[in-house]
Amino acid sequence: MRIERHAATYAESVTEFLEQPHGLRRRATEQPLLDLFTRHTEAVVATYDPPGIRRAGDSLVFTHLYAPVLEHTATASPQALPVTVLLTALIAAEVEFRGPLRLSRTQNRLLAEAYERVGPPLVQAGLPAHAALAYRRAGSLYRIDEDTDAEDRCGLALARARRLAQPVGWKRVGGLVPDLICGYGYRPFRMLWFVACQLLVFVLAVLLRADQPPAVTVFQVLMNYLNPLGVGDTTNLRVGGRAIFVVESYLGAVTMSVFFALLVRRWFRL
């Protein structure tokens, strides 16, 4: 089959990329490989002869090529799949996605699931940018199917794959922060833990600068986070105490604004 031949040829280039020394590979990007992937896919699409009426119901044309990946992810096997198998499934999905046949709603759903389930093995194989492509396609197909939860799930996986594909080390580390705080916006309730950590830090900081009962300090910190205190409310603070409250009020305003924006997006799917 043409897909398998192109996948085998493309796998040779991918293997060369993966076999580079670790330090050199971490500084490289997968973009040249993705450009080559596009050329192989277009070569298959250009000569693709769709089955038309010979296709059975709402099944996908290349189900047999997705089967190894689907079975692997269903059993949660720790053993990695061969790169050739993964690339064959990805090229087949691209041909089915970009081919001349119009997919039904059921076929869109099946193809989205195939794209989504090929993502984790690609990340495991060291090809996060290829996984990002799969997650992006899956998200767009889930959007057509009006499955917002699955679309958000793929959006989160896409953001994580893009971070892993980043060749610059400090940017990968920096990209981990929004994931931990709010799941790149797809997990807004994580920010409540971030808020709790902020309040704890400010309570401890103000306790070191206040000449008042701890209960009063806790009350002031909790109120100041949402509604800044006035000058008369901070008379029992030593030098630097008011600066702590100022920083807290600004940080609280920014944090809560982001939290409610993400919450509104999640609830109303803006």
Side-chain angles (χ1 to χ4, degrees):
M1 181 181 284
R2 288 190 299 273
I3 291 178
E4 293 169 319
R5 290 199 302 269
H6 279 277
T9 303
Y10 179 58
E12 296 176 1
S13 301
V14 172
T15 302
E16 292 179 4
F17 172 81
L18 295 175
E19 290 178 350
Q20 294 181 89
H22 181 73
L24 182 61
R25 182 157 63 90
R26 293 304 296 175
R27 293 191 296 271
T29 68
E30 297 174 50
Q31 191 55 52
L33 285 177
L34 289 173
D35 294 338
L36 182 60
F37 173 82
T38 300
R39 291 196 291 271
H40 278 289
T41 302
E42 289 175 347
V44 177
V45 172
T47 57
Y48 176 45
D49 182 20
I53 61 174
R54 288 175 287 145
R55 181 170 48 171
D58 280 337
S59 63
L60 295 175
V61 177
F62 304 117
T63 301
H64 60 290
L65 298 181
Y66 310 135
V69 177
L70 299 179
E71 292 173 0
H72 179 269
T73 54
T75 57
S77 173
Q79 185 178 2
L81 284 171
V83 173
T84 305
V85 174
L86 297 176
L87 297 177
T88 299
L90 188 59
I91 291 178
E94 280 291 283
V95 172
E96 199 138 21
F97 180 81
R98 298 167 56 179
L101 289 179
R102 182 175 181 178
L103 302 178
S104 67
R105 182 166 184 171
T106 301
Q107 290 163 345
N108 279 329
R109 179 77 187 193
L110 293 174
L111 187 57
E113 292 174 353
Y115 268 122
E116 183 180 8
R117 292 170 69 174
V118 80
L122 284 170
V123 173
Q124 184 181 4
L127 298 170
H130 288 69
L133 170 64
Y135 288 129
R136 185 166 62 250
R137 292 282 194 255
S140 64
L141 289 168
Y142 281 130
R143 188 181 307 115
I144 294 174
D145 194 42
E146 299 180 349
D147 188 341
T148 53
D149 290 335
E151 182 185 353
D152 283 355
R153 185 175 64 245
C154 288
L156 176 58
L158 170 60
R160 289 173 172 169
R162 282 176 172 170
R163 176 176 61 82
L164 294 174
Q166 174 58 247
V168 183
W170 67 267
K171 290 185 177 180
R172 286 197 303 275
V173 176
L176 184 61
V177 175
D179 188 11
L180 295 175
I181 292 176
C182 60
Y184 294 102
Y186 296 101
R187 301 288 186 270
F189 289 105
R190 281 188 184 180
M191 292 197 73
L192 296 179
W193 291 105
F194 182 58
V195 170
C197 291
Q198 288 178 339
L199 292 172
L200 178 61
V201 170
F202 284 113
V203 165
L204 296 176
V206 175
L207 282 174
L208 297 175
R209 311 305 304 169
D211 295 320
Q212 59 188 12
V216 176
T217 298
V218 172
F219 174 78
Q220 288 180 333
V221 170
L222 293 177
M223 292 301 298
N224 185 71
Y225 194 82
L226 298 175
N227 185 26
L229 300 178
V231 176
D233 300 317
T234 57
T235 55
N236 294 325
L237 298 178
R238 295 195 294 272
V239 177
R242 288 178 178 173
I244 296 174
F245 277 122
V246 170
V247 172
E248 183 200 12
S249 62
Y250 277 98
L251 188 59
V254 172
T255 302
M256 297 310 295
S257 296
V258 173
F259 172 69
F260 284 117
L262 296 178
L263 202 59
V264 168
R265 175 198 170 275
R266 181 173 178 82
W267 283 351
F268 299 102
R269 303 296 179 183
L270 298 179

